[in-house]
Amino acid sequence: ARWFSDSEAVVSTQSTGYVGHYVKRVLETMFIHRFSKATMPIGNLFKNCTYYWGFSSFISYFINHPLYTPPGCNLCVYLGLGTYLFGELGNFSCHIAFMNMRPAGSRTRVIPMPDSNPFTLLFHLVSCPNYTYEVLSWIGFAIFTSTFYAALFAIVGGGQMLQWALGKHRNYKKEFEKYPRGRKAMIPFIL
């Protein structure tokens, strides 16, 4: 029997997942993230708003359109939703690990290492596993919605996160003499 027997259940789950990501992000910003810089450049505000609002408009339009047809195969539904949830949990786990690496009120930086949470084992392979998991979650969302704009959102966001990861990885290697040599920026064994 199919878990999502009608399109309304699929669309409700998709919308809940999409909004849930941003609720998680706001709560993490308020209670978990410890930023090294107090402000964001004003230019980034316009870029970020255009990116998030633009893609949110297109994605929500298409998954809520009366002619939208959810993925027809159970595999797409389960694989997409499972991948999305796995990525979100991994991303959250890495943010907690990063928080625990930087004492409150300090700008201390350490070599990122895994803790007892199995999701953080990815720190052995990449400098920014939080980005790896976030891209994975958006790939899962794209599979789950089977829409062009959700896939494009994952690609564009993944490209931006890869740029950030490469910069952070480069800074870690400069800052820490004993930084793990085989570790990549965001994609295990590749980049």
Side-chain angles (χ1 to χ4, degrees), residues 96-172:
I96 294 291
F98 276 127
M99 179 188 74
N100 292 334
M101 290 177 213
R102 178 178 283 173
S106 83
R107 292 186 177 194
T108 303
R109 288 168 47 98
V110 298
I111 296 174
M113 298 302 279
D115 59 19
S116 60
N117 184 329
F119 282 100
T120 65
L121 290 173
L122 202 50
F123 276 111
H124 285 303
L125 303 175
V126 297
S127 295
C128 301
N130 53 317
Y131 296 150
T132 308
Y133 282 120
E134 184 160 348
V135 171
L136 186 65
S137 73
W138 289 123
I139 290 170
F141 186 79
I143 294 167
F144 184 39
T145 62
S146 295
T147 62
F148 170 76
Y149 286 104
L152 187 60
F153 179 77
I155 291 166
V156 172
Q160 179 63 65
M161 285 182 257
L162 181 58
Q163 285 181 354
W164 292 334
L166 289 168
K168 289 179 182 189
H169 183 67
R170 192 171 31 256
N171 289 341
Y172 284 139

Side-chain angles (χ1 to χ4, degrees), residues 111 173 175-181:
I111 296 174
K173 287 177 14 179
E175 186 175 353
F176 300 110
E177 200 173 293
K178 295 183 179 184
Y179 198 73
R181 298 187 90 183

Side-chain angles (χ1 to χ4, degrees), residues 10-42:
V10 175
V11 170
S12 294
T13 304
Q14 291 167 345
S15 299
T16 300
Y18 195 80
V19 171
H21 170 81
Y22 293 103
V23 169
K24 175 184 86 70
R25 179 176 270 183
V26 167
L27 293 173
E28 287 174 345
T29 300
M30 292 170 54
F31 301 111
I32 294 172
H33 291 307
R34 295 187 177 147
F35 298 101
S36 57
K37 295 180 183 174
T39 60
M40 174 176 40
I42 193 74

Side-chain angles (χ1 to χ4, degrees), residues 32-112:
I32 294 172
H33 291 307
R34 295 187 177 147
F35 298 101
S36 57
K37 295 180 183 174
T39 60
M40 174 176 40
I42 193 74
N44 286 8
L45 178 65
F46 295 108
K47 181 176 74 170
N48 289 351
C49 289
T50 301
Y51 170 71
Y52 290 117
W53 294 350
F55 273 108
S56 292
S57 298
F58 281 114
I59 292 168
S60 63
Y61 175 79
F62 286 104
I63 67 171
N64 289 292
H65 193 279
L67 298 177
Y68 172 70
T69 305
C73 67
N74 279 336
L75 179 62
C76 292
V77 172
Y78 293 122
L79 179 67
L81 181 59
T83 302
Y84 172 79
L85 293 172
F86 180 83
E88 288 293 303
L89 187 56
N91 177 265
F92 176 74
S93 298
C94 291
H95 288 160
I96 294 291
F98 276 127
M99 179 188 74
N100 292 334
M101 290 177 213
R102 178 178 283 173
S106 83
R107 292 186 177 194
T108 303
R109 288 168 47 98
V110 298
I111 296 174

